[in-house]
Amino acid sequence: MSTETVHLTDRRPHVSADELLAGFRPSERFGEVSFDTYRPDPQQPSQARAVEELRRFADSVGRGGGGGFLARLFGGGSRTDVRQGIYLDGGFGVGKTHLLASLWHAVPGPKAFGTFVEYTNLVGALTFRKAVDALSSYTLVCIDEFELDDPGDTVLMSRLMRELSDAGVRIAATSNTLPGSLGEGRFAAQDFQREIQVLADQFEVLRIDGEDFRHRGLPQAPAPLADVELAAVVEQRFGGRVVAADAFADLVEHLSHVHPSRYRKLIEGVDAVVWREVRTIEQQAVALRFVVLADRLYDKNLPIIASGRPFDQVFTPEMMAGGYQKKYHRAVSRLTALAREGILGDVSAV
């Protein structure tokens, strides 16, 4: 069967507020994970410890443990109380999202699971008060890839989490940065230390050590193909399926016309993506939008076949060393894994 080709640059999706809220659940990649399917590295004891701590946290959800934020702030809770939130800190690819999704699956609902960016987009779509009202009835709110990129986000997420905590909602988050260090290198974090400390005080921190599982014991990412090779490889790997094929420069430009909250719908119904002539992105705003797309592609486990530059050159050296370096390193890690799947098969889905 011949491959059906579509172009993401032809799509301008619209997403209602109700659709945004209904989408707050683990992606297909993590749709059936559990604590039992997580594979702790025997060389990293913190990974097995994190599983046990999360199991205990899951058991406490819905039982009233932890107390509200204001009770703890003014000394109403005992030192033995379980904190209202749990925070998974660790490097790229140590399985934090797998564990967060496992926690979501293990507790009763209603519950929400989304990335930090998706929650800020939700507030933008619903207004802050309606977002709080919608989430306050939940037993658990999971926030993946917690990063504070500007002062507005710091204040926004501080308020959101404080009000949810006061309502008795349990909160779990993942990040590559300890709560007290959020925002460092991006803006004058010292000017917002109170808000940052509010966030830090709500979490029990679990450190998860280890190397990036997407590269652990696996071959290096395949080299990009030549343009003339793309069609044959696509037909061999994805014949009879739906492939989104675009010139990389056109796709990146198109992203400026689609709100990041709609990127999940942008790639809906696609089995793989093909990019011609991948090049280095020079502008930071463009690069940050592309990071969001990379995250959504990884969520859906969409293989990538590409020509042009390898993905470790898609961001400039200055970006890779700057204030947003953790975002860019995560994106490179994920794009590399998807490129490996595109050429070699599903060898990175571990």
Side-chain angles (χ1 to χ4, degrees):
M1 297 176 63
S2 61
T3 302
E4 179 184 348
T5 302
V6 300
H7 305 290
L8 297 183
T9 51
D10 291 338
R11 297 182 169 188
R12 292 182 178 270
H14 296 278
V15 182
S16 69
D18 287 342
E19 288 176 310
L20 279 177
L21 196 59
F24 275 75
R25 56 185 302 109
S27 65
E28 291 90 335
R29 177 181 287 271
F30 301 103
E32 297 183 359
V33 299
S34 68
F35 294 130
D36 290 335
T37 62
Y38 180 74
R39 303 177 187 176
D41 185 342
Q43 303 301 315
Q44 303 292 344
S46 63
Q47 295 186 9
R49 285 197 300 270
V51 173
E52 294 307 311
E53 290 296 328
L54 284 167
R55 287 185 189 274
R56 281 194 282 271
F57 185 84
D59 288 342
S60 73
V61 174
R63 297 182 180 179
F69 169 74
L70 291 179
R72 293 193 309 281
L73 181 66
F74 294 108
S78 72
R79 295 178 61 88
T80 59
D81 281 350
V82 177
R83 288 204 182 191
Q84 198 74 2
I86 197 162
Y87 186 101
L88 307 182
D89 171 66
F92 310 103
V94 297
K96 299 186 302 297
T97 301
H98 183 134
L99 289 172
L100 188 68
S102 299
L103 173 65
W104 187 90
H105 287 298
V107 304
K111 52 196 174 181
F113 183 105
T115 65
F116 175 85
V117 171
E118 288 176 311
Y119 283 102
T120 58
N121 289 338
L122 180 71
V123 171
L126 297 182
T127 73
F128 179 83
R129 180 47 48 197
K130 289 183 179 179
V132 171
D133 291 344
L135 296 173
S136 290
S137 62
Y138 285 26
T139 58
L140 176 70
V141 167
C142 295
I143 307 171
D144 200 18
E145 300 159 11
F146 203 115
E147 291 288 348
L148 300 183
D149 298 326
D150 59 54
D153 283 348
T154 303
V155 175
L156 173 68
M157 291 305 291
S158 174
R159 285 186 59 205
L160 178 66
M161 295 172 64
R162 184 167 38 194
E163 295 206 23
L164 293 180
S165 181
D166 287 346
V169 180
R170 307 298 294 280
I171 299 170
T174 74
S175 183
N176 306 308
T177 307
L178 288 169
S181 300
L182 289 166
E184 288 184 0
R186 296 175 180 84
F187 57 88
Q190 65 273 14
D191 294 338
F192 298 89
Q193 196 59 48
R194 180 180 178 277
E195 286 79 5
I196 292 171
Q197 193 59 49
V198 166
L199 299 180
D201 287 346
Q202 297 186 60
F203 292 110
E204 187 73 32
V205 177
L206 294 181
R207 173 69 190 180
I208 305 177
D209 301 304
E211 60 179 307
D212 190 336
F213 77 85
R214 289 179 284 267
H215 302 253
R216 188 191 307 158
L218 296 172
Q220 293 294 314
L225 300 174
D227 282 344
V228 295
E229 299 177 285
L230 289 176
V233 173
V234 169
E235 195 61 37
Q236 178 186 13
R237 292 279 291 115
F238 303 103
R241 303 169 74 180
V242 180
V243 172
D246 295 277
F248 185 77
D250 293 343
L251 174 65
V252 170
E253 196 280 331
H254 182 64
L255 294 180
S256 67
H257 304 290
V258 180
H259 192 274
S261 66
R262 301 174 182 176
Y263 288 179
R264 194 183 301 278
K265 194 163 186 178
L266 179 72
I267 59 177
E268 193 173 79
V270 171
D271 298 310
V273 296
V274 178
W275 293 335
R276 298 187 305 277
E277 290 299 320
V278 172
R279 60 183 65 178
T280 301
I281 298 173
E282 304 286 345
Q283 296 178 305
Q284 184 119 268
V286 177
L288 290 172
R289 283 195 296 267
F290 182 68
V291 166
V292 178
L293 179 65
D295 288 338
R296 301 293 79 78
L297 292 172
Y298 186 76
D299 286 345
K300 291 183 68 66
N301 197 23
L302 289 183
I304 299 172
I305 296 177
S307 66
R309 292 186 177 273
F311 287 121
D312 60 0
Q313 297 178 25
V314 76
F315 306 114
T316 67
E318 292 76 16
M319 292 175 185
M320 296 296 287
Y324 297 100
Q325 60 180 273
K326 292 181 179 180
K327 285 180 178 288
Y328 295 135
H329 279 276
R330 183 185 72 233
V332 168
S333 173
R334 292 180 166 185
L335 291 167
T336 297
L338 295 177
R340 185 183 293 119
E341 293 182 18
I343 299 298
L344 302 178
D346 194 19
V347 300
S348 66
V350 296

